[in-house]
Amino acid sequence: MATLSEWIEGARPRTLPVAVAPVAVGSGSAHVLGGFNAAYAVLALLVSLFLQIGTNYANDYSDGIRGTDEVRVGPVRLVGQRLATPANVKFAAFASFGAAALTGLALIALSGAWWFLLIGVACIIAAWKYTGGNNPYGYLGLGEIFVFVFFGLVATLGTTYTQAGRVDLVTWAGAVGVGAIACAILVANNLRDIPSDLEVGKHTLSVRIGDRNSRYFYVALLVIAAICVLICGARHPWALLGLLGLAPAVPAVITTLKGAVGRDLIPVLARTGITSGTYGVLLGLGLFLA
């Protein structure tokens, strides 16, 4: 039986800044568009957090039953380390998805954006199919696309739209920046896992493009995030605070370019996760100050 602390670690709390960032940026964008609503922002944050936790448990379950996690380096794997039964982890995943769905329904009902029902269903299906089902796209090198679209574009644009009823160039730039850093987290994770993924036939993007190109791709994603801040700052100068949010990634970039492997990449993953939060919060704050 897994302990409470193991269940909490299995939810991978270090990834939760990925869920906070799009809501912070999206709410800041709604503010400059004259439509910020604190209650809607809280609901959007809960949806994002529940989806992230559900995705983490779903990945733990699906990778665990395939045996993918048995030789992996990194955080607790509830199924792979036989700390919890697959059925219980699967239940935790769908309980989280259910909580996201209920919270999302409340947000949709209040905002009147009923067409978001389809997007919500797509989010849950995409979260499960990342490593679940017969042909998980995470095993085909398509995980970064899912992360960019759903944890970047959909989460940020959706947050703004449910509050302000519209989006603009700044919203899109913020969404791309948030999505780029979310992708960088996945690239750091998959770069670390290239050896074990090769052994089990998991063809992530990092496996497909190789070690060196994965490192360059990681840095390029962070550069894209910086460019997106400059675009936002051209219209709202306070948004340039988002550049300070990239500071925690500087040591991670140095470590990555120096060729760190295995456990030495764990701090890179942690720092990139922190960067996701600091980037989103400071860019969102800059938009509020605007």
Side-chain angles (χ1 to χ4, degrees):
M1 292 289 291
T3 65
L4 176 60
S5 63
E6 288 170 337
W7 276 104
I8 292 173
E9 191 172 351
R12 303 180 190 179
R14 290 183 179 180
T15 67
L16 296 186
V18 177
V20 175
V23 178
V25 174
S27 295
S29 177
H31 171 73
V32 296
L33 291 173
F36 173 68
N37 184 304
Y40 292 6
V42 170
L43 288 173
L45 178 60
L46 289 174
V47 172
S48 190
L49 288 169
F50 283 133
L51 276 175
Q52 180 65 52
I53 293 170
T55 300
N56 290 339
Y57 280 135
N59 292 344
D60 190 303
Y61 166 79
S62 298
D63 282 340
I65 62 173
R66 285 187 167 88
T68 309
D69 278 347
E70 291 183 2
V71 293
R72 204 174 291 279
V73 174
V76 163
R77 265 78 175 188
L78 295 168
V79 177
Q81 296 176 226
R82 296 174 176 80
L83 298 173
T85 65
N88 284 342
V89 177
K90 185 178 182 180
F91 176 80
F94 279 94
S96 300
F97 290 148
L102 290 175
T103 311
L105 280 173
L107 177 59
I108 289 169
L110 290 171
S111 65
W114 289 102
W115 57 278
F116 266 84
L117 281 171
L118 296 176
I119 294 178
V121 171
C123 287
I124 293 174
I125 293 174
W128 175 253
K129 292 288 290 181
Y130 173 53
T131 55
N134 294 327
N135 295 295
Y137 59 85
Y139 282 60
L140 302 174
L142 301 174
E144 284 77 5
I145 295 176
F146 157 74
V147 168
F148 179 75
V149 171
F150 288 99
F151 285 97
L153 301 185
V154 170
T156 308
L157 298 174
T159 296
T160 302
Y161 189 86
T162 53
Q163 294 180 43
R166 61 192 179 98
V167 299
D168 65 356
L169 175 63
V170 169
T171 318
W172 277 98
V176 170
V178 168
I181 297 182
C183 282
I185 294 173
L186 184 57
V187 171
N189 180 81
N190 290 341
L191 173 63
R192 179 199 64 194
D193 291 340
I194 285 178
S196 57
D197 286 340
L198 280 170
E199 289 182 13
V200 298
K202 185 176 182 180
H203 300 124
T204 63
L205 181 61
S206 289
V207 168
R208 291 181 179 277
I209 67 177
D211 182 284
R212 177 180 294 181
N213 288 334
S214 293
R215 295 176 193 275
Y216 293 155
F217 184 41
Y218 172 82
V219 176
L221 288 168
L222 294 172
V223 171
I224 289 171
I227 292 172
C228 288
V229 173
L230 296 177
I231 293 172
C232 294
R235 183 168 296 182
H236 307 293
W238 275 106
L240 295 174
L241 280 173
L243 292 176
L244 294 178
L246 292 170
V250 173
V253 168
I254 295 172
T255 301
T256 301
L257 292 179
K258 283 186 175 181
V261 297
R263 290 189 177 276
D264 291 337
L265 283 168
I266 293 177
V268 172
L269 186 58
R271 284 185 175 277
T272 313
I274 292 170
T275 301
S276 176
T278 55
Y279 177 88
V281 169
L282 288 178
L283 177 54
L285 175 61
L287 293 174
F288 271 103
L289 292 175

